[in-house]
Amino acid sequence: MVAFLKRVWQNPLTMMYIALILLIFIAWQAHAFLSLALFTVIFIYLGNAAIGGIERHLHLHHLWATLLVYVLFLGILVAAFSQIIPPLVSEASNLPNTIDKLIDTYPQLQSELTKLIKNLSQNASVISNGKNLLTSGMGQLSRFSSGVETILLAFFFGFIFNLTKFQLQTFVHAFTKSRFASLFVPMGQLILKFVNIFGTVLETQLVICTINTILMVLGLWIIGMPSLLILGIMVFFLGLIPVAGVLISLIPLTIVAFLTGGLIRVIEVLVLVILIHMFESYFLHPRLMANATNLPIFVTFIALIVSEQLFGAWGLIVGVPLVAFFLDVFDVQLKPKRVTSKPEPNKTA
């Protein structure tokens, strides 16, 4: 019995699974910092890839390459917000005119809205719910400001990480020479494995959602939808959600379509979204994601649903990488290995 336990303890897989359980426990206990951690990983991975490309092609020093990349990042963010805010203000100011046009197109809506407002004003519970809604709205606004703060902090952490990357490598390497190296080494390997899988899936999803956004904006332009810039940005960010992102974008798109063009435009948007979703699900996603995860579409949907229940909105982004990570840890081979036949030796007479 003692010999058996000794063999189990000395097995490298034992320490690997102990390290995995310990990492899961730490991540679960620190779930309040999940957004900050994942945003930081995203900025570190994308920044490191961009810095590496600049160092290879422009032969710049690591310090100058890092500064150049993050200055470009900031420039892109400032330019994006400068393009987004003015159209949002313009659309908000044009909302009353849009509602008036909608009522002129569908006169029966005015009488229905009048009855609804009259009934609501006479209902005490609605007034109480209105107060709760206002309180909830203030809470949502507070969470939004907290989210902006989290993104800025993660951006700063990513910058510091990539700037001092070589010092951090020396620091982490010291743990591999410590008394508990047998635990720290597999922990580092697991963290690196997840970051690589998460980064690969993120890069692939960026390509997919970029193609989807171009096709969607082109289709919306053909059917005459307004505010293409805002709708395109919304479609792009929702496209970061694998497979389901296109379907989620259907909700705001149909609302805008109904307000601006009625039922005919809603049908046109539905057909457009279905076509793009089919193109992503049966062509783009299987081919581009094959090298990253090779997960079937059904498994992808199940992973998204389960991870959304466990991790909230972030689960829609990390669900697929987590499944791919555990499949890799448990050595589940989804791709059949190619068996290369050895050439037969030349027969001599």
Side-chain angles (χ1 to χ4, degrees), residues 31-51:
H31 67 276
F33 300 97
L34 180 64
S35 296
L36 179 61
L38 291 176
F39 271 124
T40 303
V41 169
I42 290 173
F43 285 129
I44 288 174
Y45 187 89
L46 296 179
N48 185 62
I51 292 168

Side-chain angles (χ1 to χ4, degrees), residues 40 43-45 47-48 51 62-63 66-67 69-70 73 152-169:
T40 303
F43 285 129
I44 288 174
Y45 187 89
N48 185 62
I51 292 168
H62 181 76
L63 172 63
T66 304
L67 292 175
V69 166
Y70 280 90
F73 276 0
L152 293 177
L153 190 59
F155 184 84
F156 175 74
F157 284 161
F159 170 68
I160 296 299
F161 181 94
N162 283 311
L163 189 64
T164 61
K165 180 175 67 174
F166 299 111
Q167 297 177 4
L168 288 172
Q169 287 177 350

Side-chain angles (χ1 to χ4, degrees), residues 155-323:
F155 184 84
F156 175 74
F157 284 161
F159 170 68
I160 296 299
F161 181 94
N162 283 311
L163 189 64
T164 61
K165 180 175 67 174
F166 299 111
Q167 297 177 4
L168 288 172
Q169 287 177 350
T170 304
F171 174 77
V172 172
H173 183 71
F175 284 85
T176 63
K177 306 297 182 182
S178 68
R179 182 179 302 174
F180 298 98
S182 58
L183 179 63
F184 289 135
V185 169
M187 286 181 69
Q189 292 173 347
L190 289 172
I191 293 173
L192 187 61
K193 187 188 298 289
F194 173 75
V195 171
N196 287 333
I197 293 175
F198 181 68
T200 303
V201 172
L202 182 64
E203 286 181 349
T204 307
Q205 195 61 36
L206 282 172
V207 174
I208 292 174
C209 70
T210 299
I211 297 174
N212 282 345
T213 302
I214 294 173
L215 295 176
M216 183 69 76
V217 171
L218 182 61
L220 294 176
W221 174 71
I222 292 174
I223 66 178
M225 285 280 283
S227 308
L228 292 180
L229 178 62
I230 298 175
L231 294 178
I233 293 172
M234 177 202 68
V235 170
F236 177 81
F237 284 107
L238 289 176
L240 293 175
I241 302 173
V243 180
V246 176
L247 297 179
I248 297 175
S249 66
L250 184 63
I251 299 173
L253 286 175
T254 52
I255 295 174
V256 175
F258 182 74
L259 291 174
T260 57
L263 294 176
I264 300 298
R265 184 166 290 176
V266 170
I267 295 174
E268 293 174 345
V269 169
L270 287 173
V271 173
L272 176 64
V273 171
I274 290 173
L275 290 176
I276 292 179
H277 175 67
M278 291 176 63
F279 176 71
E280 177 189 353
S281 299
Y282 298 106
F283 182 79
L284 274 183
H285 197 275
R287 283 160 176 76
L288 296 182
M289 278 292 183
N291 294 329
T293 61
N294 204 40
L295 292 177
I297 299 296
F298 178 77
V299 177
T300 301
F301 269 114
I302 296 299
L304 293 175
I305 292 172
V306 174
S307 58
E308 193 274 336
Q309 293 294 321
L310 293 176
F311 307 109
W314 269 113
L316 297 173
I317 296 178
V318 302
V320 172
L322 276 176
V323 173

